[in-house]
Amino acid sequence: MLRGGKVGLRARHEDDIPILHTELHDDVVNFSRSDDQPWRPITPGSKNSQFVVDDKEQGHVPFSVVELDGGTLIGSAVLWGIDLHNRSAHIGLGLLPSSRGKGYGTDVVAVLCHYGFVVRGLRRLQIETLSDNAAMLRSAERNGFVREGVLRSAAWVMGEFVDEVLLGLLAEDWKPAGRVPES
């Protein structure tokens, strides 16, 4: 497990999937704001759930996010679009509704940066988020991400086009808050 100040990122357990599916996927508005595909119902237990892990997929590394104090599942995090030639990847995360607004997002981004830069040896990490996602923008910027541009009307969300903000962080600009130990 990778540890931050408040959260741990661990392998996805089978019993995490129904919770993540119910709390994140079945929330149509939240899903529509966080995914580039249209929402559609998925039968519980389906192998088509975005939360089912394919251990053979090398370009997509999903984690379950847990509280360090007690180990309670609080969300999902992922390093995706891993490009080994250009040594880059994208960061994504989703917190359960009951875990939002508690500073976990900033810690999750910090741990994903550690994983990307230290464990994987990447040079660049990138985040794309909706322009009105203040929590993600704040979490990214607190970890040193720089706004690199706005993708105007790039996301179709619940009946309207919304701008996305593109943020990037280079390994040489990253300032870890402290070493993230593995256990």
Side-chain angles (χ1 to χ4, degrees):
M1 176 166 38
L2 296 171
R3 297 175 187 272
K6 296 180 176 185
V7 302
L9 302 186
R10 64 160 169 75
R12 176 82 30 86
H13 296 173
E14 193 69 31
D15 55 348
D16 295 344
I17 295 170
I19 297 167
L20 295 171
H21 184 86
T22 299
E23 296 281 330
L24 297 178
H25 179 82
D26 286 349
D27 178 347
V28 178
V29 173
N30 180 65
F31 178 90
S32 297
R33 293 180 50 78
S34 64
D35 204 284
D36 62 356
Q37 299 295 313
W39 182 88
R40 65 182 185 88
I42 296 175
T43 305
S46 170
K47 296 302 177 195
N48 291 327
S49 171
Q50 69 187 38
F51 302 109
V52 173
V53 176
D54 178 358
D55 287 326
K56 294 178 186 143
E57 171 59 54
Q58 296 298 307
H60 182 91
V61 181
F63 296 94
S64 286
V65 181
V66 296
E67 288 179 319
L68 285 180
D69 186 22
T72 302
L73 177 69
I74 61 168
S76 175
V78 63
L79 206 65
W80 63 276
I82 298 171
D83 179 338
L84 296 178
H85 177 72
N86 293 305
R87 294 179 46 204
S88 64
H90 302 258
I91 284 178
L93 67 102
L95 296 175
L96 304 184
S98 62
S99 300
R100 296 176 191 154
K102 298 180 179 181
Y104 293 137
T106 299
D107 204 30
V108 171
V109 172
V111 179
L112 285 170
C113 288
H114 171 83
Y115 178 72
F117 293 137
V118 176
V119 177
R120 297 297 296 255
L122 299 176
R123 179 156 167 60
R124 175 186 167 79
L125 295 174
Q126 183 169 310
I127 296 172
E128 300 88 5
T129 191
L130 298 180
S131 61
D132 65 350
N133 188 348
M136 186 62 182
L137 291 168
R138 194 171 39 254
S139 293
E141 290 171 341
R142 286 180 177 162
N143 278 287
F145 281 80
V146 175
R147 291 182 192 217
E148 296 179 335
V150 174
L151 305 171
R152 296 179 303 139
S153 294
W156 178 254
V157 179
M158 300 301 291
E160 67 179 321
F161 284 102
V162 180
D163 293 348
E164 285 186 329
V165 176
L166 173 66
L167 302 108
L169 179 61
L170 302 178
E172 62 263 23
D173 296 333
W174 178 55
K175 295 177 179 43
R179 186 175 169 275
V180 180
E182 296 179 57
S183 64

